[in-house]
Amino acid sequence: MDLRTLTQGTVDGEGVFDRLMQALRVHLDQEFTKGRLTGEDYAKSYTALTATVLQQAIQYVLTEPQSAAQVSLIESQVTQTDAQTQLIAQERANAVVQGQNLTKQGNVIDKQVETATAEIARIEAQTAQVDQQTSNLAAEALNIPKQGLILDTQKAQLDAEIVQLGKQGAMVDQQVINLGSENANLITQNSLLLKQVAKAEADTNYVNAQITSMGKQDALTQQQTDNLAAEALNIPKQGVLLDKQASRIDEEITASSVNRTYVTAQTGLVNAQKDKVVDDLNVNAAQINKVTAEIDVLTQRKLTEQAQISDTVDGSPVTGVIGKQKELYSAQVTGFTRDAEQKVLKTFADVWSIQRSTDSTLSPEDPGFGPTTLAAVVSKVANGIGVNVTTE
């Protein structure tokens, strides 16, 4: 406390005590001039009132900075609350925008999931096709030994035919030559083996029929010789065709292997994309939870700030620490008011007592201390402390 605020040490000073004493002296001088106070009463009144004024001045100087600081604190809190309210509003708006963005991201992810699902279905169909082709190739591979057995059987039959036709002259020699060429070319047959088996069976039946009717069919034998000569001309062509078919089968096997590798890579890529989509969904869910938690925190902060400037929040009285602080501030304000009322009453009583003691004929109405005024003051003070006073 700065002493100069209380008094500057002069009668006409600017301190609180100086100003109060100046007012007090004016009143006492007026009463003394009118003869209502004698010298002795003036001295007693001056001494008593000086102590009272000094006490009140000291109390005012001590409490005034605190009151000013409290007012400043409350104004700062109001300003801070306004700023925080604006911040909460902006954060809420941002949260709404983020929620809208999350919805859009969810739609994009749904489209990506649909695309990935369609791609997986297509790849699975390709995989099934490749698996079927592989199964077909495996079945064909299983059929090749059987075809070899058929060829061996055909060779045995043809050998038997050679033995049986050993005496048929030029026709039998031509058949042996043809069968030798067919045996060399039949090793490379793949896809045409079934047709060749059917043809061989037909040839076998035909040869058996020739053997049965050999003695009686000279003209037919000559025709068969011509036919075998024509077939001998076609056998090299069949060998070339079989070579091409074998090369095409090798190319198909190679293409199937490459296609399987591609499908496997595509399947891995789709699985990786699927895992990434799942991870993105988890991240988005975590972000949504984080935004929800932040909104809850901001809502609670808003309620706390509202509690600092309002007696009710959402229709409920403010309780807790802030409620107790507000009750304390209210009690302090009430205490200051009651103290001021008590002091006013005491001042009224002291002044009236002094005036009455110095002049028994003084009318209380003259200085404004009549029954009506006193009753009003007493009623005001009593009401302040919750006591009802009935005046007659």
Side-chain angles (χ1 to χ4, degrees):
M1 180 185 71
D2 188 356
L3 184 59
R4 289 176 297 179
T5 303
L6 177 62
T7 179
Q8 294 182 346
T10 60
V11 175
D12 56 351
E14 297 295 329
V16 176
F17 177 73
D18 299 335
R19 288 296 185 90
L20 292 176
M21 288 302 298
Q22 292 169 15
L24 178 62
R25 281 193 297 271
V26 171
H27 287 284
L28 291 178
D29 289 345
Q30 182 180 359
E31 297 301 321
F32 183 78
T33 302
K34 291 182 178 181
R36 296 169 182 169
L37 290 176
T38 63
E40 183 179 356
D41 293 332
Y42 183 91
K44 291 180 180 180
S45 299
Y46 183 84
T47 302
L49 292 175
T50 299
T52 301
V53 169
L54 179 59
Q55 180 182 359
Q56 296 300 320
I58 292 174
Q59 185 173 2
Y60 174 81
V61 172
L62 291 175
T63 58
E64 193 275 335
Q66 181 180 1
S67 300
Q70 289 179 346
V71 171
S72 178
L73 175 60
I74 292 173
E75 291 177 350
S76 299
Q77 290 177 344
V78 170
T79 302
Q80 182 181 4
T81 300
D82 293 339
Q84 291 177 346
T85 301
Q86 294 177 358
L87 177 61
I88 291 172
Q90 184 62 42
E91 290 177 347
R92 181 180 294 275
N94 293 339
V96 171
V97 175
Q98 290 178 355
Q100 294 174 352
N101 291 337
L102 289 176
T103 302
K104 295 179 181 178
Q105 291 177 356
N107 295 333
V108 173
I109 291 173
D110 291 340
K111 294 295 183 181
Q112 292 177 346
V113 170
E114 292 176 359
T115 303
T117 302
E119 185 67 18
I120 290 173
R122 185 180 66 79
I123 293 175
E124 288 176 350
Q126 291 180 347
T127 302
Q129 181 181 2
V130 172
D131 291 339
Q132 185 61 43
Q133 291 176 349
T134 302
S135 299
N136 294 340
L137 292 175
E140 290 178 0
L142 294 176
N143 290 331
I144 289 176
K146 297 179 182 179
Q147 292 173 352
L149 293 176
I150 293 174
L151 291 175
D152 291 338
T153 302
Q154 288 178 349
K155 184 176 182 299
Q157 292 174 352
L158 290 175
D159 289 339
E161 289 178 359
I162 291 173
V163 173
Q164 293 176 0
L165 296 176
K167 296 181 180 181
Q168 290 183 0
M171 182 185 68
V172 173
D173 293 336
Q174 185 64 45
Q175 287 179 342
V176 170
I177 295 172
N178 293 340
L179 289 174
S181 298
E182 289 176 356
N183 184 61
N185 292 326
L186 288 174
I187 297 175
T188 60
Q189 291 180 350
N190 288 312
S191 62
L192 297 178
L193 289 179
L194 293 176
K195 294 181 180 180
Q196 288 178 350
V197 169
K199 180 178 180 300
E201 289 177 353
D203 290 340
T204 300
N205 294 332
Y206 182 68
V207 171
N208 289 333
Q210 285 179 342
I211 293 173
T212 302
S213 60
M214 188 180 299
K216 299 179 181 180
Q217 296 180 352
D218 293 338
L220 180 61
T221 300
Q222 183 62 41
Q223 183 63 43
Q224 289 176 344
T225 301
D226 296 337
N227 292 339
L228 290 174
E231 289 179 356
L233 295 175
N234 291 330
I235 287 175
K237 298 179 180 179
Q238 291 178 351
V240 173
L241 178 62
L242 290 174
D243 291 337
K244 291 182 179 180
Q245 290 177 346
S247 176
R248 183 176 62 83
I249 290 173
D250 291 338
E251 292 177 354
E252 289 179 353
I253 292 173
T254 301
S256 297
S257 178
V258 173
N259 193 17
R260 177 179 290 274
T261 301
Y262 172 75
V263 170
T264 300
Q266 288 291 326
T267 302
L269 177 60
V270 170
N271 290 333
Q273 291 176 345
K274 183 178 180 181
D275 294 337
K276 182 178 182 299
V277 170
V278 173
D279 293 338
D280 291 340
L281 290 175
N282 293 332
V283 171
N284 289 335
Q287 289 178 346
I288 292 173
N289 293 333
K290 177 176 179 293
V291 171
T292 301
E294 289 177 350
I295 290 174
D296 293 338
V297 171
L298 292 175
T299 301
Q300 183 60 43
R301 184 183 298 173
K302 178 182 179 182
L303 295 177
T304 301
E305 298 300 332
Q306 288 178 347
Q308 293 181 355
I309 62 174
S310 179
D311 293 334
T312 60
V313 176
D314 292 342
S316 300
V318 177
T319 58
V321 176
I322 295 177
K324 296 299 182 182
Q325 289 178 346
K326 293 175 74 67
E327 292 176 359
L328 176 60
Y329 292 151
S330 178
Q332 288 178 345
V333 172
T334 302
F336 291 145
T337 303
R338 299 288 84 75
D339 183 66
E341 292 171 352
Q342 296 289 335
K343 290 175 181 177
V344 169
L345 177 60
K346 185 177 183 303
T347 301
F348 264 77
D350 290 343
V351 173
W352 167 245
S353 176
I354 294 171
Q355 290 179 342
R356 187 63 176 177
S357 64
T358 57
D359 187 0
S360 60
T361 63
L362 177 65
S363 173
E365 300 294 342
D366 293 339
F369 294 136
T372 302
T373 304
L374 289 175
V377 173
V378 172
S379 177
K380 176 65 176 178
V381 174
N383 290 335
I385 59 175
V387 176
N388 293 326
V389 177
T390 303
T391 59
E392 294 182 356

